Amino acid sequence: MSKKEYKRVTTHSLKEMKARNEKISMLTGYDYSMAKIIDNSGIDIILVGDSASNVMAGHETTLPITLDQIIYHASSVVRGVKRALVVVDLPFGSYQSNSGEALRSAIRIMKESGAHAVKMEGGSEIKESIVRILNAGIPVMGHLGLTPQSIYKFGTYSVRAKEEEEAKRLVEDAKLLDELGCFGIVLEKIPAKISKIVTSSISSPVIGIGAGSDVDGQVLVTHDLVGLTTEFNPRFLRRYVDLNEIMTKAIKNYIKDVKNIDFPNQDEQY
Ligand code: KIV
């Protein structure tokens, strides 16, 4: 992409996309090289997700990733991106204590990584933090439904908001986040009929993951979409390529060539 070929995605253009019914595409990114490929492919939003804790660091949950680590990932992504909006997860433990800590963490992300927005898990319980971050001029994306930072409270990664009371609370939380000024909301692993209600009730774009098709856009973890992860197989995941298989084949061929002294050949040396 040359400089003139692209127009940067902004929080405002996302709202316009919702208004004209144009679906929004979002994927995770954690490093420079992948972010460059994803951005050049034309994605609208790149999320530097705390799922880096799982797919990049091999942890079982998203809880261990630190603020310093997410800033490292985010600054690598920002260097590879020309067009997409870069959103960064506030990691577990960097915003839950109080709104002052939340604001300081969000400011560090924006200042040290050059990203464009932050994402936070939760509804009314983090209202004060959201307001303070927004008042500092930092765009905030909400995240409701299955919120992996609370996995030990939920006990399982199963579908959320199946019961009426939880669904009602989720819709109320989504309306609150919209009223506060969040530029978008991620809905994770909830019944499609609840996502549809949320999407039609608020003006901010709703991005779903395992939340059906009646939303304003979709997000997946890139490593899942390209088949770099193999053990994570939820119903909502569509694998577009099996990079695990392709890479394994390539690496096995390289090993074979090294062992057989087929690599490097005459043209591959000085
Ligand atoms: O961390 C992440 O990758 C996310 C997406 C699943 C939305 O929050």
Side-chain angles (χ1 to χ4, degrees), residues 215-233:
V215 285
D216 303 304
Q218 299 290 334
V219 56
L220 282 176
V221 169
T222 299
H223 286 57
D224 298 334
L225 172 148
V226 298
L228 280 173
T229 51
T230 53
E231 282 136 40
F232 183 63
N233 285 301

Side-chain angles (χ1 to χ4, degrees), residues 18-137:
K18 173 165 179 145
R20 63 172 182 265
N21 253 325
E22 181 183 339
K23 298 288 180 189
I24 297 165
S25 60
M26 172 166 162
L27 279 175
T28 61
Y30 317 104
D31 65 70
Y32 169 78
S33 304
M34 275 263 222
K36 214 169 161 182
I37 295 172
I38 298 167
D39 188 53
N40 277 333
S41 305
I43 205 81
D44 298 313
I45 307 174
I46 296 187
L47 170 67
V48 184
D50 55 5
S51 50
S53 179
N54 309 102
V55 299
M56 298 302 285
H59 291 295
E60 209 173 297
T61 72
T62 58
L63 275 67
I65 195 164
T66 65
L67 188 56
D68 284 335
Q69 287 165 345
I70 206 110
I71 288 171
Y72 169 79
H73 286 295
S75 51
S76 308
V77 166
V78 165
R79 286 190 287 272
V81 170
K82 287 180 179 156
R83 177 185 172 272
L85 185 86
V86 179
V87 182
V88 183
D89 263 335
L90 275 173
F92 175 71
S94 73
Y95 65 102
Q96 287 88 349
S97 303
N98 58 65
S99 60
E101 185 198 37
L103 178 58
R104 273 191 297 279
S105 299
I107 288 175
R108 273 201 65 199
I109 287 176
M110 302 297 283
K111 225 177 166 63
E112 295 176 37
S113 76
H116 313 126
V118 297
K119 175 165 85 58
M120 303 163 75
E121 295 184 6
S124 57
E125 72 280 12
I126 55 163
K127 177 179 164 181
E128 195 184 313
S129 299
I130 292 175
V131 170
R132 285 191 72 178
I133 295 172
L134 286 170
N135 284 344

Side-chain angles (χ1 to χ4, degrees), residues 1-8 39-40 82-83:
M1 247 187 302
S2 82
K3 271 206 159 169
K4 287 212 169 100
E5 277 174 77
Y6 64 88
K7 192 161 176 263
R8 261 222 112 106
D39 188 53
N40 277 333
K82 287 180 179 156
R83 177 185 172 272

